[in-house]
Amino acid sequence: MKLIKLSALPLLFCCILASSCEKEYNENGTEYVKNDLPVTGAQVSPQASPSSGTGKLTASYSKRTKLLTYSLSWSGLSDSVMAIRISGPAPVGYGAFRAGYAPAAATADTTTPYNVLQQVTGTLLTSANTSQFVSTKKLPATGSYTGTILIDGVKFKEVDLMNGLYFITIHSKTILPGTAPANLFYRWYGEIRAQLKVN
């Protein structure tokens, strides 16, 4: 009888240990955080932005709740922010270009070449005027924004998020010298960009 009890003791210990390890894995294996990701003009695609503006991005994701939370800060932009857009899927150095995209058509302030999945600011234009804005959601040239996205498996996919295939662009209202589409570069492609990574 004592032999049976002693044999059961290591088995009980292993079960407790396994349970403890499983809990630790669930706590540490489903929560992801990435701090201070750089937001720069050099990351803008298909060509780098000449902007000297910079920023930082912190992203956290819970596999349990399927919620992605991101905090974005920026400074030194050329003008106020007309849009913050999350686009994808596209890896570092590439843009998620939408169907029918043509660089020559980059003449409207409110358009973008990217497949936009979420836009968190917005701007309305006066008719046929690319230099005047009516906006209730413009953000300053130095500022911050915090947002949340549900990774629903349809519009936003967990596999694409975990592989770093989403990116954030900050679009300012600046019109650069020259002719379209180059003069709308900051509005069209974004003044600065960051790849959205959580691991």
Side-chain angles (χ1 to χ4, degrees):
M1 191 74 169
K2 287 184 179 178
L3 182 59
I4 294 172
K5 285 183 180 177
L6 288 175
S7 301
L9 187 60
L11 180 60
L12 178 63
F13 178 76
C14 287
C15 288
I16 292 170
L17 184 61
S19 174
S20 172
C21 289
E22 184 180 355
K23 183 179 179 185
E24 184 178 339
Y25 172 78
N26 284 338
E27 288 176 357
N28 297 328
T30 62
E31 305 291 330
Y32 298 86
V33 178
K34 205 73 165 170
N35 293 307
D36 297 333
L37 294 164
V39 189
T40 63
Q43 296 181 72
V44 174
S45 173
Q47 68 185 67
S49 159
S51 176
S52 59
T54 60
K56 289 184 180 179
L57 171 67
T58 294
S60 62
Y61 176 61
S62 168
K63 281 192 169 186
R64 182 179 56 81
T65 64
K66 303 298 183 188
L67 284 177
L68 168 71
T69 301
Y70 61 93
S71 294
L72 185 63
S73 63
W74 62 89
S75 63
L77 296 185
S78 59
D79 207 328
S80 56
V81 173
M82 62 177 281
I84 297 172
R85 293 173 174 140
I86 299 174
S87 304
V92 173
Y94 292 86
F97 295 111
R98 58 180 168 76
Y101 160 68
T107 57
D109 298 333
T110 55
T111 58
T112 175
Y114 305 127
N115 180 25
V116 177
L117 301 172
Q118 183 185 71
Q119 180 165 311
V120 295
T121 62
T123 302
L124 299 173
L125 300 175
T126 57
S127 60
N129 191 327
T130 59
S131 62
Q132 294 180 12
F133 284 83
V134 178
S135 175
T136 57
K137 295 185 178 179
K138 276 191 300 186
L139 296 171
T142 295
S144 62
Y145 183 85
T146 298
T148 303
I149 298 170
L150 175 65
I151 305 302
D152 59 5
V154 179
K155 188 174 183 180
F156 286 97
K157 297 181 180 177
E158 187 175 80
V159 65
D160 289 339
L161 175 65
M162 300 307 289
N163 285 318
L165 297 180
Y166 296 122
F167 61 91
I168 294 180
T169 46
I170 300 179
H171 302 251
S172 68
K173 70 174 194 173
T174 299
I175 295 180
L176 297 172
T179 58
N183 66 332
L184 295 174
F185 189 101
Y186 287 175
R187 299 182 184 188
W188 184 250
Y189 294 111
E191 186 167 343
I192 56 177
R193 167 179 161 164
Q195 205 73 14
L196 186 52
K197 298 179 181 178
V198 293
N199 63 349

